Amino acid sequence: MKIEVVSGDISTRDTDAVVVNLFEGVTRPGGATGSVDNAMGGAISKLIADGEIKGKKGEITIIHTLGKIAPARVVVAGLGKASDFDAEVIRSVSGELARRLRKIGLTKFSTIAHGAGIGNMEPVDSAQAIAEGTLLGSYEFNKYKSKQDDQTAVEAVEIVEFDDTKMGELRRGVDKGTVLADAVVFSRNMVNEPANYMTPTRMAERALKAAVDSDLDVEILDRPRLQELGMGAFLGVAQGSKEPPKLIVLDYRGDPENADNNLAIVGKGITFDSGGISIKPSERMWEMKGDMAGGAAVISAMKAIGQIKPKINVTGIVAATENMPGGSAQRPGDIVKTMNGKTIEIDNTDAEGRLVLADAVAYAHSLGNRRIVDVATLTGAMVTALGHICSGIFGSDQKLVDQVNEAGDLAGERLWQLPTYPEYKEQYRSDVADMKNVGGRPAGSITGALIIGEFVGDAAWTHIDIAGTSMSSKTDGYVVSGGTGVAVRTLAKLAEVLAESAS
Ligand code: BES
Ligand code: ZN
Ligand code: ZN
């Protein structure tokens, strides 16, 4: 799909449909909606007066123009209450619109830049949100269906703007939104692939592709190298599978003169989590093909960062392996030694994310990273605590937590902070090793986070648990059922937020 910005009067475009909008409660449409309404002889006002158009968020009304104006249809998109309006509303409405117009077979349509006139939004933000919402809402994963739907695809969308001085900003917004949406799609595709395809080796291949696309350095560390580094916790998880583990390292140097102006983003890349010897129940076990969503988000965010080019050095690290109960799998009671020398007693082999991340964040620290943010589908307890509405965020350094939160706000991905009081650490004390890999049922997400935090040395650290947000069971707005690509936009934005705070 191609998204373009053109100057002119939307009611004169030769296109399948023009999209205008309406806030809830408005009875006399103004701006572009008002001029289309006038050109249509008051058709929109009449529908409002009759109560058929209310402007509720997500409401879509399609009016055939029957030759009154050049476009074949006028589409009125409800934006909800003006007081609740933000970029997230635009993303959501744009996603719904793209699917609805595709469903009726349209291949191209034109839209105004929602909010850039009446809604008090910067044109660049409006255009970015339209691009993200339209591209992400149109997403489909159908490569395994032998019979493709006979549905058409939307090929071209144009944002039409009357005011020529806004063109540059609108184009910048579309470019940025396209880079981010492409990265989110890259992540969704990895998550939606079944585990018999998306092995650690294939994840490494996708990372190589991201490196080529975005001009990043890339290094794949194989088992012998991981052994040399002493990554016993990562290797312990990997030993139950015949798929070889990969430690994927992507590198972006945006501020080569200031090596310390850096950030490591570290992802859990469990391509299938059977639980290992502490095997999971079979019901919904298939969802564990998505246990590499944190790793996918890291690779995809690096792809975006390489194109956005913020002034900061960013290293992306993914610990990719399966967690399987093979004959050489690790057992409860085993003790493993991590690369920084600390030992962990395996209490439950299903708590594998913190094990692979222990070595991955220790590696990030050993490379000299001053800030480490890890992303993981870490705990089922996260779903119990926050459901599917927001991700959990934890951290040792409140400044970094606040910056990640700010990035999430700006990106439109919700995060909610949970505490990391030192008293929780008592729960994972071991009689025989430096710690156990589980801290029992109470506050399971917090103890999981704190175990990872034991391995970051003196770096500022934040952990994002996306167990409840990485997959969606329903299609709504710009979210399509399956992998959501969550955290990609937050991590990319974080690199920008940190780059700006340093200058
Ligand atoms: N990958 C799971 C967590 C998970 C659960 C992610 C549901 C997404 C949806 C993780 O490896 C795991 O199994 N965690 C255990 C930890 C427990 C054994 C301490 C859990 O949450 O039950
Ligand atoms: Zn597990
Ligand atoms: Zn897992």
Side-chain angles (χ1 to χ4, degrees):
M1 182 193 298
K2 204 169 156 35
I3 304 182
E4 271 181 321
V5 177
V6 299
S7 91
D9 174 358
I10 193 159
S11 56
T12 64
R13 304 302 297 174
D14 174 20
T15 173
D16 294 340
V18 293
V19 179
V20 294
N21 62 42
L22 194 75
F23 284 111
E24 194 173 332
V26 172
T27 49
R28 289 224 124 276
T33 309
S35 54
V36 169
D37 184 38
N38 287 339
M40 287 284 292
I44 299 174
S45 312
K46 176 83 168 87
L47 284 160
I48 298 171
D50 289 350
E52 283 180 49
I53 300 183
K54 297 191 171 67
K56 285 202 181 306
K57 187 186 141 193
E59 173 194 83
I60 296 173
T61 311
I62 302 177
I63 309 166
H64 286 252
T65 61
L66 307 175
K68 282 209 183 78
I69 58 175
R73 298 168 190 81
V74 169
V75 180
V76 185
L79 297 182
K81 295 198 178 71
S83 54
D84 296 339
F85 182 67
D86 60 9
E88 188 66 3
V89 171
I90 300 184
R91 275 189 285 270
S92 171
V93 167
S94 300
E96 289 292 340
L97 275 167
R99 278 195 307 280
R100 173 68 92 75
L101 298 183
R102 175 176 70 194
K103 201 168 169 198
I104 62 171
L106 305 194
T107 56
K108 60 180 204 291
F109 65 86
S110 309
T111 179
I112 59 170
H114 307 295
I118 300 174
N120 269 336
M121 178 154 316
E122 293 297 330
V124 61
D125 296 327
S126 169
Q128 181 180 335
I130 290 172
E132 288 177 13
T134 307
L135 292 166
L136 294 175
S138 314
Y139 174 80
E140 288 179 294
F141 184 77
N142 48 19
K143 72 179 259 204
Y144 291 100
K145 288 204 186 253
S146 28
K147 191 174 152 291
Q148 297 292 325
D149 300 343
D150 44 14
Q151 147 186 297
T152 51
V154 176
E155 279 150 21
V157 175
E158 56 177 25
I159 300 176
V160 185
E161 174 57 52
F162 204 74
D163 180 352
D164 275 345
T165 64
K166 293 182 180 166
M167 290 289 129
E169 264 204 70
L170 289 171
R171 290 209 173 95
R172 265 202 301 128
V174 168
D175 288 348
K176 183 85 168 276
T178 304
V179 165
L180 289 166
D182 285 352
V184 172
V185 165
F186 199 71
S187 188
R188 287 181 181 180
N189 281 341
M190 277 189 261
V191 174
N192 288 334
E193 283 287 355
N196 61 337
Y197 177 87
M198 192 47 62
T199 59
T201 304
R202 290 244 169 69
M203 269 193 100
E205 283 169 11
R206 296 276 165 116
L208 289 173
K209 166 127 180 38
V212 171
D213 288 353
S214 299
D215 197 19
L216 307 165
D217 288 330
V218 59
E219 198 183 354
I220 309 297
L221 282 58
D222 290 311
R223 190 169 349 235
R225 181 77 187 117
L226 304 177
Q227 281 162 342
E228 266 169 36
L229 286 164
M231 294 195 179
F234 182 19
L235 289 166
V237 173
Q239 77 192 32
S241 167
K242 73 181 223 324
E243 289 294 336
K246 304 285 172 187
L247 189 78
I248 299 165
V249 184
L250 288 162
D251 207 37
Y252 163 77
R253 296 286 98 183
D255 192 5
E257 265 88 77
N258 297 300
D260 272 359
N261 179 21
N262 62 18
L263 164 72
I265 54 180
V266 182
K268 169 177 174 181
I270 301 296
T271 60
F272 190 74
D273 181 11
S274 70
I277 295 300
S278 313
I279 198 162
K280 287 181 179 293
S282 54
E283 197 186 337
R284 303 224 319 256
M285 197 204 269
W286 67 270
E287 288 181 0
M288 288 301 117
K289 72 174 187 171
D291 208 23
M292 31 57 73
V298 164
I299 295 170
S300 307
M302 290 303 295
K303 178 177 149 83
I305 289 167
Q307 291 173 29
I308 296 168
K309 301 194 190 301
K311 192 166 185 253
I312 181 173
N313 305 308
V314 189
T315 303
I317 299 173
V318 179
T321 177
E322 282 189 325
N323 183 26
M324 296 291 276
S328 53
Q330 70 178 348
R331 297 137 290 242
D334 284 4
I335 297 175
V336 294
K337 192 175 195 170
T338 56
M339 80 167 274
N340 69 357
K342 291 191 187 179
T343 56
I344 309 177
E345 178 191 2
I346 309 299
D347 189 339
N348 187 319
T349 65
D350 195 10
E352 83 297 341
R354 58 203 74 182
L355 294 170
V356 304
L357 286 170
D359 276 324
V361 299
Y363 185 65
H365 180 249
S366 77
L367 296 177
N369 286 292
R370 304 307 308 147
R371 308 182 190 100
I372 299 174
V373 176
D374 80 80
V375 189
T377 47
L378 201 76
T379 61
M382 197 72 258
V383 190
T384 308
L386 301 178
H388 306 287
I389 307 303
C390 58
S391 307
I393 175 171
F394 313 72
S396 60
D397 180 285
Q398 195 56 39
K399 183 172 176 209
L400 184 60
V401 171
D402 290 343
Q403 287 167 320
V404 176
N405 248 321
E406 184 193 339
D409 273 352
L410 293 168
E413 295 185 319
R414 286 194 280 201
L415 300 164
W416 191 262
Q417 187 176 359
L418 282 87
T420 49
Y421 301 123
E423 287 84 346
Y424 288 112
K425 296 184 179 193
E426 184 59 29
Q427 289 177 226
Y428 55 83
R429 226 181 36 78
S430 164
D431 290 335
V432 289
D434 295 337
M435 69 194 85
K436 291 191 297 186
N437 75 329
V438 296
R441 255 178 78 78
S445 301
I446 296 173
T447 51
L450 281 168
I451 291 171
I452 300 169
E454 300 282 349
F455 297 87
V456 296
D458 62 354
W461 160 76
T462 295
H463 159 72
I464 307 176
D465 193 335
I466 57 169
T469 50
S470 61
M471 292 223 247
S472 175
S473 57
K474 51 181 199 289
T475 296
D476 182 32
Y478 63 96
V479 175
V480 173
S481 72
T484 59
V486 74
V488 173
R489 290 179 297 132
T490 297
L491 293 174
K493 193 73 208 176
L494 177 64
E496 288 187 274
V497 166
L498 296 177
E500 278 155 30
S501 82
S503 58

